[in-house]
Amino acid sequence: LSQLFILSLRGDVIISRMFRGDLPRGTNDIFLREIKRVKGDHPPIFNIDGINYFYLKRSSLYVVATTRFNVSASLILDML
């Protein structure tokens, strides 16, 4: 797990934590662009440029985890 962040639906960063430092700081912006680009429901797991994004939408918040490594998706989603 490289990053964990919580975003509002508008894109405001509420909590952000970098664990490994191997990803650029703009990953939350990339995440929001991808979510807004897709019409309808977006899958909770996707990959952009080698970065794996895992997210859950709770109430009016996105809880997002990112990593470059091949990790168990069920473990990450259970943690979120």
Side-chain angles (χ1 to χ4, degrees):
L1 186 65
S2 298
Q3 295 175 325
L4 180 68
F5 45 91
I6 299 175
L7 303 170
S8 70
L9 293 179
R10 291 185 334 200
D12 300 323
V13 178
I14 297 170
I15 296 173
S16 177
R17 175 77 167 118
M18 292 186 72
F19 296 106
R20 300 181 54 89
D22 59 340
L23 297 178
R25 292 218 180 255
T27 53
N28 58 338
D29 295 327
I30 296 169
F31 167 78
L32 282 171
R33 270 186 262 138
E34 177 66 18
I35 292 296
K36 291 179 181 177
R37 182 186 65 81
V38 175
K39 301 293 183 201
D41 291 333
H42 197 287
I45 303 166
F46 57 94
N47 183 302
I48 298 175
D49 297 330
I51 301 172
N52 300 308
Y53 292 85
F54 306 85
Y55 83 96
L56 293 176
K57 183 178 175 185
R58 298 281 184 215
S59 300
S60 61
L61 300 174
Y62 290 114
V63 181
V64 185
T66 59
T67 185
R68 283 199 188 270
F69 300 101
N70 187 12
V71 297
S72 170
S74 61
L75 176 70
I76 299 295
L77 291 175
D78 189 42
M79 180 195 70
L80 295 177

